[in-house]
Amino acid sequence: MDDFHYRPTYAAGSHFIGIFEWGFLYKEMNLPESERKKRAHDSEPYKSPTHAGGLLAIDKNYFLEMGGYDPGMMVWGGENFELSFKVWMCGGSVEWVPCSRVGHVYRHFMPYGFGEYANKGPIIDLNYKRVVEVWMDGVYKDAFYARLPYIKRLDEGDISKQLQLKTEHSCKSFAWFMENVAWMLLKRFPVQPNNRVWGEFRSLADDKMCWDTQSAALGGPIGISGCHHSGGNQRYRLNVEGQITTGERCIHARNSNLVFEVCPDAKVSDKWKLLEETKQIQYDDGSDKCVEAKGKKLKMEACDSKNAFQKWQFAPA
């Protein structure tokens, strides 16, 4: 687009709220009907668990009283969650205003780099770690680390001033936030179970080969490629409820293939099973099929405990 033509993001009459999945990917969903009915007019502002980050209005004095943005966070990433959790848990609220109009010019590229911060590690992950360690607790903190387990190893730096602010403002717990503000989120994104194994899924027949999404489109098969030890498309999780995931996507057994798909809403279980003694990964649907490496493909074949191409080892990545 070469002009400043205004195009609405939302359809007339629609009402969305900001939520998140457990890896802190920002999401939106319809305002629950129970909340919508509390309003006399569609033009009334309504409460939302969080917001997108770049489009907000806040009283300057209140913003500074609440510590502003965490000065230990770098460049961008996670600030919308940090501010939302802080405001809600410390006595304020986040509200969406249906009749507001804000223009946003999207660029086709990032016009800046991370400069000196680029040498400090994965910036967005480090920001997330600070948010989690300051504001989350209990099963919800565990859910984040189940979704992004590698972040647990990062050093979040000094968060003493943020924890002090929580104490000084008598801020509520994250459990309170989930039960009273973001309760609808759990209907779509239940708490993540613990992982049985996570990281690189390496072949025992050739430990230089790892499971890889291979840039598969949704609905396409994943395969196996040379291990690059950088996570991303080679970082998988098998949770204790039998679900295999990579990022926010799920791996399903479809016919003879392992398929890259959208995870079903409100479901964190499946039928994948790790056979500890034989080091095989079986899809436990009664078919007696196990994952087997065939060239650069992964296939579901009849389980054979002596077949080295059906055996797997796991390394954090």
Side-chain angles (χ1 to χ4, degrees), residues 177-230:
F177 171 78
M178 291 301 302
E179 291 164 8
N180 293 276
V181 179
W183 53 268
M184 70 291 291
L185 179 156
L186 295 172
K187 296 178 181 294
R188 185 172 170 190
F189 301 113
V191 170
Q192 293 282 303
N194 291 331
N195 294 314
R196 183 123 183 236
V197 293
W198 70 273
E200 292 178 343
F201 285 25
R202 298 178 187 167
S203 171
L204 268 179
D206 182 352
D207 65 6
K208 293 183 175 61
M209 300 296 285
C210 290
W211 286 28
D212 194 316
T213 60
Q214 296 180 335
S215 302
L218 287 174
I222 68 167
I224 187 168
S225 303
C227 302
H228 55 54
H229 314 305
S230 299

CSV table of all heavy atoms in Angstrom, one decimal, residues 177-230:
chain,number,residue,atom,x,y,z
A,177,PHE,N,-5.4,-13.5,38.8
A,177,PHE,CA,-5.5,-13.0,37.5
A,177,PHE,C,-6.2,-14.0,36.6
A,177,PHE,O,-7.2,-13.6,35.9
A,177,PHE,CB,-4.2,-12.6,36.9
A,177,PHE,CG,-4.2,-12.2,35.5
A,177,PHE,CD1,-4.6,-10.9,35.1
A,177,PHE,CD2,-3.8,-13.1,34.5
A,177,PHE,CE1,-4.6,-10.6,33.7
A,177,PHE,CE2,-3.8,-12.8,33.2
A,177,PHE,CZ,-4.2,-11.5,32.8
A,178,MET,N,-5.8,-15.2,36.6
A,178,MET,CA,-6.4,-16.2,35.8
A,178,MET,C,-7.8,-16.6,36.1
A,178,MET,O,-8.7,-16.8,35.3
A,178,MET,CB,-5.5,-17.5,35.8
A,178,MET,CG,-4.2,-17.4,35.2
A,178,MET,SD,-4.2,-16.9,33.4
A,178,MET,CE,-5.2,-18.2,32.7
A,179,GLU,N,-8.1,-16.6,37.4
A,179,GLU,CA,-9.4,-16.9,37.9
A,179,GLU,C,-10.5,-15.8,37.7
A,179,GLU,O,-11.6,-16.1,37.5
A,179,GLU,CB,-9.4,-17.4,39.4
A,179,GLU,CG,-8.6,-18.7,39.6
A,179,GLU,CD,-8.3,-18.9,41.0
A,179,GLU,OE1,-8.7,-18.1,41.9
A,179,GLU,OE2,-7.5,-19.9,41.3
A,180,ASN,N,-10.0,-14.6,37.8
A,180,ASN,CA,-10.9,-13.4,37.8
A,180,ASN,C,-10.9,-12.6,36.5
A,180,ASN,O,-11.9,-11.9,36.3
A,180,ASN,CB,-10.6,-12.5,39.0
A,180,ASN,CG,-11.0,-13.2,40.3
A,180,ASN,OD1,-12.1,-13.2,40.8
A,180,ASN,ND2,-9.9,-13.8,40.9
A,181,VAL,N,-9.8,-12.6,35.8
A,181,VAL,CA,-9.7,-11.8,34.6
A,181,VAL,C,-9.6,-12.6,33.3
A,181,VAL,O,-10.3,-12.3,32.4
A,181,VAL,CB,-8.5,-10.9,34.8
A,181,VAL,CG1,-8.3,-10.0,33.5
A,181,VAL,CG2,-8.6,-10.0,36.0
A,182,ALA,N,-8.7,-13.6,33.3
A,182,ALA,CA,-8.4,-14.3,32.1
A,182,ALA,C,-9.0,-15.7,32.1
A,182,ALA,O,-8.5,-16.6,31.4
A,182,ALA,CB,-6.9,-14.4,31.9
A,183,TRP,N,-10.1,-15.9,32.8
A,183,TRP,CA,-10.7,-17.2,32.9
A,183,TRP,C,-11.1,-17.8,31.6
A,183,TRP,O,-11.0,-19.0,31.4
A,183,TRP,CB,-11.9,-17.2,33.8
A,183,TRP,CG,-12.9,-16.1,33.4
A,183,TRP,CD1,-13.0,-14.8,33.9
A,183,TRP,CD2,-14.0,-16.2,32.5
A,183,TRP,NE1,-14.0,-14.1,33.3
A,183,TRP,CE2,-14.7,-15.0,32.4
A,183,TRP,CE3,-14.5,-17.3,31.7
A,183,TRP,CZ2,-15.8,-14.8,31.6
A,183,TRP,CZ3,-15.6,-17.1,30.9
A,183,TRP,CH2,-16.2,-15.8,30.8
A,184,MET,N,-11.5,-17.0,30.6
A,184,MET,CA,-11.9,-17.5,29.3
A,184,MET,C,-10.8,-18.1,28.5
A,184,MET,O,-11.0,-18.9,27.6
A,184,MET,CB,-12.6,-16.4,28.6
A,184,MET,CG,-11.7,-15.2,28.1
A,184,MET,SD,-11.1,-14.2,29.4
A,184,MET,CE,-12.5,-13.3,29.9
A,185,LEU,N,-9.6,-17.6,28.8
A,185,LEU,CA,-8.4,-18.1,28.1
A,185,LEU,C,-8.2,-19.6,28.2
A,185,LEU,O,-7.9,-20.3,27.3
A,185,LEU,CB,-7.1,-17.4,28.6
A,185,LEU,CG,-5.8,-17.7,28.1
A,185,LEU,CD1,-4.9,-16.5,28.4
A,185,LEU,CD2,-5.1,-18.9,28.8
A,186,LEU,N,-8.5,-20.2,29.4
A,186,LEU,CA,-8.4,-21.6,29.7
A,186,LEU,C,-9.3,-22.4,28.9
A,186,LEU,O,-9.0,-23.6,28.7
A,186,LEU,CB,-8.5,-21.9,31.2
A,186,LEU,CG,-7.5,-21.2,32.1
A,186,LEU,CD1,-7.9,-21.4,33.5
A,186,LEU,CD2,-6.1,-21.8,31.8
A,187,LYS,N,-10.4,-21.9,28.4
A,187,LYS,CA,-11.3,-22.6,27.5
A,187,LYS,C,-10.7,-22.9,26.2
A,187,LYS,O,-11.1,-23.9,25.5
A,187,LYS,CB,-12.6,-21.9,27.4
A,187,LYS,CG,-13.4,-21.7,28.7
A,187,LYS,CD,-14.7,-20.9,28.4
A,187,LYS,CE,-15.4,-20.6,29.7
A,187,LYS,NZ,-16.0,-21.9,30.3
A,188,ARG,N,-9.8,-22.1,25.8
A,188,ARG,CA,-9.1,-22.3,24.5
A,188,ARG,C,-7.7,-22.9,24.7
A,188,ARG,O,-7.3,-23.7,23.8
A,188,ARG,CB,-9.0,-21.0,23.7
A,188,ARG,CG,-8.5,-21.1,22.3
A,188,ARG,CD,-8.6,-19.8,21.6
A,188,ARG,NE,-7.9,-19.8,20.4
A,188,ARG,CZ,-7.7,-18.7,19.6
A,188,ARG,NH1,-8.2,-17.5,19.9
A,188,ARG,NH2,-7.0,-18.8,18.5
A,189,PHE,N,-7.0,-22.4,25.7
A,189,PHE,CA,-5.6,-22.8,25.9
A,189,PHE,C,-5.5,-23.4,27.4
A,189,PHE,O,-5.1,-22.6,28.3
A,189,PHE,CB,-4.6,-21.7,25.7
A,189,PHE,CG,-4.7,-21.1,24.3
A,189,PHE,CD1,-5.1,-19.8,24.2
A,189,PHE,CD2,-4.3,-21.8,23.2
A,189,PHE,CE1,-5.2,-19.2,22.9
A,189,PHE,CE2,-4.3,-21.3,22.0
A,189,PHE,CZ,-4.8,-20.0,21.8
A,190,PRO,N,-5.8,-24.6,27.6
A,190,PRO,CA,-5.7,-25.2,28.9
A,190,PRO,C,-4.2,-25.2,29.4
A,190,PRO,O,-3.3,-25.0,28.6
A,190,PRO,CB,-6.1,-26.7,28.8
A,190,PRO,CG,-6.9,-26.7,27.5
A,190,PRO,CD,-6.3,-25.6,26.6
A,191,VAL,N,-4.0,-25.3,30.7
A,191,VAL,CA,-2.7,-25.3,31.3
A,191,VAL,C,-1.9,-26.5,30.6
A,191,VAL,O,-2.4,-27.6,30.5
A,191,VAL,CB,-2.8,-25.5,32.8
A,191,VAL,CG1,-1.4,-25.8,33.4
A,191,VAL,CG2,-3.3,-24.3,33.5
A,192,GLN,N,-0.7,-26.2,30.2
A,192,GLN,CA,0.2,-27.2,29.6
A,192,GLN,C,0.6,-28.3,30.5
A,192,GLN,O,1.1,-27.9,31.6
A,192,GLN,CB,1.4,-26.5,29.0
A,192,GLN,CG,1.1,-25.6,27.8
A,192,GLN,CD,0.8,-26.3,26.5
A,192,GLN,OE1,1.7,-27.1,26.0
A,192,GLN,NE2,-0.3,-26.1,25.9
A,193,PRO,N,0.5,-29.6,30.2
A,193,PRO,CA,1.1,-30.6,31.0
A,193,PRO,C,2.6,-30.6,31.0
A,193,PRO,O,3.2,-29.9,30.1
A,193,PRO,CB,0.6,-31.9,30.4
A,193,PRO,CG,-0.5,-31.5,29.4
A,193,PRO,CD,-0.2,-30.1,29.0
A,194,ASN,N,3.2,-31.2,32.0
A,194,ASN,CA,4.7,-31.3,31.9
A,194,ASN,C,5.2,-32.1,30.7
A,194,ASN,O,4.4,-32.9,30.2
A,194,ASN,CB,5.2,-32.0,33.2
A,194,ASN,CG,5.0,-31.1,34.4
A,194,ASN,OD1,5.0,-29.9,34.3
A,194,ASN,ND2,4.8,-31.7,35.6
A,195,ASN,N,6.4,-31.9,30.3
A,195,ASN,CA,7.0,-32.6,29.2
A,195,ASN,C,7.6,-33.9,29.7
A,195,ASN,O,8.2,-34.0,30.8
A,195,ASN,CB,8.1,-31.8,28.5
A,195,ASN,CG,7.5,-30.6,27.9
A,195,ASN,OD1,6.5,-30.6,27.2
A,195,ASN,ND2,8.1,-29.4,28.1
A,196,ARG,N,7.4,-35.0,28.9
A,196,ARG,CA,8.1,-36.2,29.2
A,196,ARG,C,9.6,-36.1,28.7
A,196,ARG,O,10.5,-36.4,29.4
A,196,ARG,CB,7.4,-37.4,28.5
A,196,ARG,CG,8.0,-38.7,28.8
A,196,ARG,CD,7.0,-39.7,29.4
A,196,ARG,NE,7.6,-41.0,29.7
A,196,ARG,CZ,7.2,-42.1,29.3
A,196,ARG,NH1,6.1,-42.2,28.5
A,196,ARG,NH2,7.8,-43.2,29.6
A,197,VAL,N,9.7,-35.6,27.4
A,197,VAL,CA,11.0,-35.3,26.8
A,197,VAL,C,10.8,-34.1,26.0
A,197,VAL,O,9.7,-33.8,25.5
A,197,VAL,CB,11.5,-36.5,26.0
A,197,VAL,CG1,11.9,-37.7,26.8
A,197,VAL,CG2,10.5,-36.9,24.9
A,198,TRP,N,11.9,-33.3,25.7
A,198,TRP,CA,11.8,-32.2,24.9
A,198,TRP,C,13.2,-31.9,24.3
A,198,TRP,O,14.2,-32.3,24.8
A,198,TRP,CB,11.3,-30.9,25.6
A,198,TRP,CG,12.2,-30.4,26.6
A,198,TRP,CD1,12.3,-30.7,27.9
A,198,TRP,CD2,13.2,-29.3,26.4
A,198,TRP,NE1,13.3,-30.0,28.5
A,198,TRP,CE2,13.9,-29.1,27.7
A,198,TRP,CE3,13.6,-28.6,25.3
A,198,TRP,CZ2,14.9,-28.2,27.8
A,198,TRP,CZ3,14.6,-27.6,25.5
A,198,TRP,CH2,15.2,-27.4,26.7
A,199,GLY,N,13.2,-31.1,23.2
A,199,GLY,CA,14.4,-30.8,22.5
A,199,GLY,C,14.6,-31.4,21.2
A,199,GLY,O,13.6,-31.6,20.4
A,200,GLU,N,15.8,-31.8,20.8
A,200,GLU,CA,16.0,-32.5,19.6
A,200,GLU,C,15.6,-34.0,19.7
A,200,GLU,O,16.0,-34.6,20.7
A,200,GLU,CB,17.5,-32.5,19.2
A,200,GLU,CG,18.0,-31.1,18.8
A,200,GLU,CD,19.5,-31.0,18.5
A,200,GLU,OE1,20.2,-32.0,18.8
A,200,GLU,OE2,19.9,-30.1,17.8
A,201,PHE,N,14.9,-34.5,18.7
A,201,PHE,CA,14.6,-35.9,18.7
A,201,PHE,C,15.5,-36.5,17.6
A,201,PHE,O,15.3,-36.4,16.4
A,201,PHE,CB,13.1,-36.1,18.2
A,201,PHE,CG,12.1,-35.8,19.3
A,201,PHE,CD1,12.3,-34.9,20.3
A,201,PHE,CD2,10.8,-36.4,19.2
A,201,PHE,CE1,11.4,-34.7,21.3
A,201,PHE,CE2,9.9,-36.1,20.2
A,201,PHE,CZ,10.1,-35.3,21.3
A,202,ARG,N,16.6,-37.1,18.1
A,202,ARG,CA,17.7,-37.6,17.3
A,202,ARG,C,17.5,-39.1,17.0
A,202,ARG,O,17.1,-39.9,17.9
A,202,ARG,CB,19.0,-37.4,18.0
A,202,ARG,CG,19.4,-35.9,18.2
A,202,ARG,CD,20.7,-35.9,18.9
A,202,ARG,NE,21.1,-34.5,19.4
A,202,ARG,CZ,22.1,-34.3,20.2
A,202,ARG,NH1,22.8,-35.2,20.7
A,202,ARG,NH2,22.3,-33.0,20.6
A,203,SER,N,17.9,-39.4,15.8
A,203,SER,CA,17.9,-40.9,15.4
A,203,SER,C,19.1,-41.6,16.1
A,203,SER,O,20.2,-41.1,16.1
A,203,SER,CB,18.0,-41.0,13.9
A,203,SER,OG,18.2,-42.3,13.5
A,204,LEU,N,18.8,-42.8,16.6
A,204,LEU,CA,19.9,-43.6,17.2
A,204,LEU,C,20.6,-44.3,16.1
A,204,LEU,O,21.8,-44.7,16.2
A,204,LEU,CB,19.3,-44.6,18.2
A,204,LEU,CG,19.3,-44.2,19.6
A,204,LEU,CD1,18.7,-45.3,20.5
A,204,LEU,CD2,20.6,-43.8,20.1
A,205,ALA,N,20.0,-44.4,14.9
A,205,ALA,CA,20.7,-45.0,13.8
A,205,ALA,C,21.8,-44.0,13.2
A,205,ALA,O,22.8,-44.5,12.7
A,205,ALA,CB,19.7,-45.4,12.7
A,206,ASP,N,21.5,-42.7,13.3
A,206,ASP,CA,22.4,-41.7,12.9
A,206,ASP,C,22.1,-40.5,13.8
A,206,ASP,O,21.2,-39.7,13.5
A,206,ASP,CB,22.2,-41.4,11.4
A,206,ASP,CG,23.2,-40.3,10.9
A,206,ASP,OD1,23.9,-39.7,11.8
A,206,ASP,OD2,23.2,-40.0,9.7
A,207,ASP,N,23.0,-40.3,14.8
A,207,ASP,CA,22.7,-39.2,15.8
A,207,ASP,C,23.0,-37.8,15.3
A,207,ASP,O,22.8,-36.8,16.0
A,207,ASP,CB,23.4,-39.5,17.1
A,207,ASP,CG,24.9,-39.4,17.0
A,207,ASP,OD1,25.4,-39.0,15.9
A,207,ASP,OD2,25.6,-39.7,18.0
A,208,LYS,N,23.3,-37.7,14.0
A,208,LYS,CA,23.4,-36.4,13.4
A,208,LYS,C,22.1,-36.0,12.7
A,208,LYS,O,22.1,-34.9,12.0
A,208,LYS,CB,24.6,-36.4,12.4
A,208,LYS,CG,26.0,-36.5,13.1
A,208,LYS,CD,27.1,-36.4,12.1
A,208,LYS,CE,28.4,-36.5,12.8
A,208,LYS,NZ,28.7,-37.7,13.5
A,209,MET,N,21.1,-36.8,12.7
A,209,MET,CA,19.8,-36.5,12.1
A,209,MET,C,18.7,-36.3,13.1
A,209,MET,O,18.6,-37.1,14.1
A,209,MET,CB,19.5,-37.7,11.1
A,209,MET,CG,20.5,-38.0,10.1
A,209,MET,SD,20.7,-36.6,8.9
A,209,MET,CE,19.1,-36.8,7.9
A,210,CYS,N,17.9,-35.3,12.9
A,210,CYS,CA,16.9,-34.9,13.9
A,210,CYS,C,15.6,-34.7,13.2
A,210,CYS,O,15.5,-34.3,12.0
A,210,CYS,CB,17.3,-33.6,14.5
A,210,CYS,SG,18.7,-33.7,15.7
A,211,TRP,N,14.5,-34.8,13.9
A,211,TRP,CA,13.2,-34.5,13.4
A,211,TRP,C,13.2,-33.0,13.0
A,211,TRP,O,13.8,-32.2,13.6
A,211,TRP,CB,12.1,-34.6,14.5
A,211,TRP,CG,11.7,-36.0,14.9
A,211,TRP,CD1,12.5,-37.2,14.7
A,211,TRP,CD2,10.5,-36.4,15.4
A,211,TRP,NE1,11.8,-38.2,15.2
A,211,TRP,CE2,10.5,-37.8,15.6
A,211,TRP,CE3,9.3,-35.8,15.8
A,211,TRP,CZ2,9.5,-38.6,16.1
A,211,TRP,CZ3,8.3,-36.5,16.3
A,211,TRP,CH2,8.3,-37.8,16.5
A,212,ASP,N,12.5,-32.7,11.9
A,212,ASP,CA,12.6,-31.3,11.3
A,212,ASP,C,11.2,-31.1,10.6
A,212,ASP,O,10.8,-31.9,9.9
A,212,ASP,CB,13.7,-31.3,10.3
A,212,ASP,CG,14.1,-29.9,9.9
A,212,ASP,OD1,13.2,-29.1,9.7
A,212,ASP,OD2,15.3,-29.5,9.9
A,213,THR,N,10.7,-29.9,10.9
A,213,THR,CA,9.4,-29.6,10.2
A,213,THR,C,9.6,-29.4,8.7
A,213,THR,O,8.7,-29.5,7.9
A,213,THR,CB,8.8,-28.3,10.7
A,213,THR,OG1,9.7,-27.2,10.5
A,213,THR,CG2,8.4,-28.4,12.2
A,214,GLN,N,10.9,-29.1,8.3
A,214,GLN,CA,11.2,-29.0,6.9
A,214,GLN,C,10.3,-28.0,6.1
A,214,GLN,O,9.9,-28.2,5.0
A,214,GLN,CB,11.2,-30.3,6.2
A,214,GLN,CG,12.2,-31.3,6.7
A,214,GLN,CD,12.2,-32.7,6.0
A,214,GLN,OE1,11.2,-33.1,5.5
A,214,GLN,NE2,13.3,-33.4,6.1
A,215,SER,N,10.0,-26.9,6.9
A,215,SER,CA,9.1,-25.9,6.3
A,215,SER,C,7.8,-26.4,5.8
A,215,SER,O,7.2,-25.8,4.9
A,215,SER,CB,9.8,-25.1,5.2
A,215,SER,OG,11.1,-24.6,5.6
A,216,ALA,N,7.3,-27.4,6.4
A,216,ALA,CA,6.0,-28.0,6.0
A,216,ALA,C,4.9,-27.0,6.2
A,216,ALA,O,4.8,-26.3,7.2
A,216,ALA,CB,5.7,-29.3,6.8
A,217,ALA,N,4.0,-26.9,5.2
A,217,ALA,CA,2.8,-26.2,5.4
A,217,ALA,C,1.8,-26.9,6.3
A,217,ALA,O,2.0,-28.1,6.6
A,217,ALA,CB,2.1,-26.0,4.0
A,218,LEU,N,0.9,-26.2,6.9
A,218,LEU,CA,-0.1,-26.9,7.7
A,218,LEU,C,-0.7,-28.0,7.0
A,218,LEU,O,-1.2,-27.8,5.8
A,218,LEU,CB,-1.1,-25.9,8.2
A,218,LEU,CG,-0.7,-24.9,9.3
A,218,LEU,CD1,-1.7,-23.8,9.5
A,218,LEU,CD2,-0.2,-25.6,10.5
A,219,GLY,N,-0.8,-29.2,7.6
A,219,GLY,CA,-1.3,-30.3,6.9
A,219,GLY,C,-0.3,-31.2,6.2
A,219,GLY,O,-0.6,-32.2,5.7
A,220,GLY,N,0.9,-30.6,6.1
A,220,GLY,CA,2.0,-31.3,5.4
A,220,GLY,C,2.8,-32.2,6.3
A,220,GLY,O,2.8,-32.0,7.5
A,221,PRO,N,3.6,-33.2,5.7
A,221,PRO,CA,4.4,-34.1,6.6
A,221,PRO,C,5.7,-33.4,7.0
A,221,PRO,O,6.3,-32.6,6.3
A,221,PRO,CB,4.7,-35.2,5.6
A,221,PRO,CG,4.6,-34.6,4.2
A,221,PRO,CD,3.6,-33.5,4.3
A,222,ILE,N,6.1,-33.8,8.2
A,222,ILE,CA,7.4,-33.4,8.7
A,222,ILE,C,8.4,-34.5,8.3
A,222,ILE,O,8.0,-35.6,7.9
A,222,ILE,CB,7.5,-33.1,10.2
A,222,ILE,CG1,7.2,-34.4,11.0
A,222,ILE,CG2,6.5,-32.0,10.5
A,222,ILE,CD1,7.6,-34.2,12.5
A,223,GLY,N,9.7,-34.3,8.5
A,223,GLY,CA,10.7,-35.3,8.1
A,223,GLY,C,11.9,-35.3,9.1
A,223,GLY,O,11.8,-34.9,10.3
A,224,ILE,N,13.1,-35.6,8.5
A,224,ILE,CA,14.3,-35.7,9.3
A,224,ILE,C,15.4,-35.1,8.5
A,224,ILE,O,15.6,-35.3,7.3
A,224,ILE,CB,14.6,-37.2,9.7
A,224,ILE,CG1,15.7,-37.3,10.7
A,224,ILE,CG2,14.8,-38.0,8.5
A,224,ILE,CD1,15.9,-38.6,11.3
A,225,SER,N,16.2,-34.3,9.2
A,225,SER,CA,17.3,-33.5,8.5
A,225,SER,C,18.5,-33.5,9.5
A,225,SER,O,18.5,-33.9,10.6
A,225,SER,CB,16.9,-32.1,8.2
A,225,SER,OG,15.8,-32.1,7.4
A,226,GLY,N,19.7,-33.0,9.0
A,226,GLY,CA,20.9,-32.8,9.8
A,226,GLY,C,20.6,-31.9,11.0
A,226,GLY,O,20.0,-30.9,10.8
A,227,CYS,N,21.0,-32.4,12.2
A,227,CYS,CA,20.8,-31.6,13.4
A,227,CYS,C,21.6,-30.3,13.3
A,227,CYS,O,22.8,-30.3,13.0
A,227,CYS,CB,21.2,-32.4,14.6
A,227,CYS,SG,20.4,-34.0,14.8
A,228,HIS,N,20.9,-29.2,13.6
A,228,HIS,CA,21.6,-27.9,13.6
A,228,HIS,C,21.7,-27.3,15.0
A,228,HIS,O,22.4,-26.2,15.2
A,228,HIS,CB,20.9,-26.9,12.7
A,228,HIS,CG,19.4,-26.6,13.0
A,228,HIS,ND1,19.0,-26.3,14.2
A,228,HIS,CD2,18.4,-26.7,12.1
A,228,HIS,CE1,17.6,-26.1,14.1
A,228,HIS,NE2,17.3,-26.4,12.9
A,229,HIS,N,21.1,-27.9,16.0
A,229,HIS,CA,21.3,-27.6,17.4
A,229,HIS,C,20.9,-26.1,17.8
A,229,HIS,O,21.3,-25.6,18.7
A,229,HIS,CB,22.8,-27.8,17.9
A,229,HIS,CG,23.4,-29.0,17.4
A,229,HIS,ND1,22.8,-30.3,17.7
A,229,HIS,CD2,24.5,-29.3,16.7
A,229,HIS,CE1,23.6,-31.2,17.2
A,229,HIS,NE2,24.6,-30.7,16.6
A,230,SER,N,19.9,-25.6,17.0
A,230,SER,CA,19.5,-24.2,17.2
A,230,SER,C,18.0,-24.2,17.6
A,230,SER,O,17.4,-23.1,17.6
A,230,SER,CB,19.7,-23.4,15.9
A,230,SER,OG,21.1,-23.3,15.6
